Amino acid sequence: PRMATRGPAGPRAAGGGAGGGGVAVSGGGAAGEAAAARGERVAAVRRRAAGAAMGAPPAVVSPSVAKADFWRLGEQCAAAVAGGAEWLHFSVQDGVFVPKVSLGSPVVAGLRDRLADTVFDVKLGTADPLHRVKEFADAGADIISFHPEAAPQPMAVLDAIRAAGCASGVVINPGTSVAAVAPLLAEADVAVVMLVNPGHGGPRREALALEKVREIKALGGSTLVEVDGGVSAKSAPDFLEAGADVLVAGGAVFGAEDPSAAIDALRGA
């Protein structure tokens, strides 16, 4: 079966067309300007998704902020963006759904004004993500993805993300099949395929993730496929060949002496 490709009247069009339309903005002042800026960034994500459905634009590298040196957080994030990172990935862990505690909304808000053109890709590894959507949208998230296992009503979480003016994402853990979340993927902008169990680490299940990337691409539609969990310059070519659109890489970028060269290596440039 193939996902139906939705036009502007489809589910993603709430606040903006799936094919690249902007997010509806109301109000004025600083809040209105922030919403308008996010609308442009979200529209760019959806344009890339539409382009990916028709061909193969260069992959996005989304460096994982959790792997940056927090003493030099702003400096390192700015260097990654200057080196070619169009997105930054924020892995939020609450110590409940995911055993570790990591980034909160103040980190997102603190970087937002200084990196106004960068897409902030926020992954909620939290219990009951519905109650975190507004917090992170207000902090400056552009994409908000979540684990469906953590949500009693996962479709309602997708609705809330869209209503907040953000692009939506569904996280697929190693133990979750593509078939189990296919109805959600049909309405999401991004599918995040995990190589590891969030917060637990362990072996990288690359073969399983590769198969999931291919399965999602075979469904059709315009959902971007993001791979997360320790992608390196060595493993990136296999994921790109399978059809991945976005590569989340933490240490491979923030641990490199030359972030620009590291990003080019991940893209295969």
Side-chain angles (χ1 to χ4, degrees):
R2 295 178 66 81
M3 288 184 194
T5 302
R6 292 159 304 283
R12 293 184 202 166
V23 173
V25 175
S26 61
E33 291 175 5
R38 177 167 59 207
E40 289 301 316
R41 294 188 298 267
V42 171
V45 171
R46 290 174 174 155
R47 285 194 297 270
R48 176 172 286 276
M54 294 185 291
V60 170
V61 174
S62 186
S64 182
V65 173
K67 295 297 185 180
D69 178 350
F70 272 54
W71 184 256
R72 303 167 53 220
L73 181 62
E75 173 193 339
Q76 286 201 327
C77 288
V81 170
E86 300 171 63
W87 297 11
L88 286 175
H89 182 80
F90 297 81
S91 181
V92 179
Q93 301 176 342
D94 66 351
V96 180
F97 179 73
V98 175
K100 296 180 180 178
V101 176
S102 67
L103 307 172
S105 56
V107 177
V108 176
L111 292 169
R112 178 72 282 170
D113 289 343
R114 304 183 191 284
L115 297 169
D117 297 326
T118 305
V119 171
F120 280 13
D121 170 28
V122 173
K123 181 184 69 187
L124 296 180
T126 66
D128 205 358
L130 182 62
H131 296 291
R132 294 289 185 181
V133 170
K134 184 179 185 302
E135 174 188 349
F136 281 90
D138 288 349
D142 300 305
I143 303 167
I144 298 179
S145 58
F146 72 101
H147 296 262
E149 299 91 341
Q153 297 289 341
M155 200 67 79
V157 182
L158 287 177
D159 291 342
I161 293 168
R162 286 192 294 267
C166 298
S168 60
V170 174
V171 183
I172 308 174
N173 289 327
T176 302
S177 69
V178 171
V181 296
L184 299 173
L185 296 180
E187 299 199 17
D189 295 289
V190 182
V192 184
V193 177
M194 296 299 300
L195 298 178
V196 297
N197 293 304
H200 292 276
R204 292 187 176 91
R205 291 177 167 84
E206 293 187 5
L208 182 60
L210 283 166
E211 182 56 32
K212 288 180 181 179
V213 172
R214 297 187 187 103
E215 285 184 59
I216 296 166
K217 285 297 182 180
L219 292 172
S222 57
T223 303
L224 290 169
V225 180
E226 178 174 327
V227 180
D228 181 15
V231 177
S232 66
K234 180 178 179 180
S235 61
D238 290 336
F239 289 111
L240 295 175
E241 184 178 358
D245 305 297
V246 183
L247 303 176
V248 176
V253 175
F254 288 118
E257 291 187 11
D258 184 346
S260 178
I263 289 168
D264 284 345
L266 286 160
R267 287 191 181 125

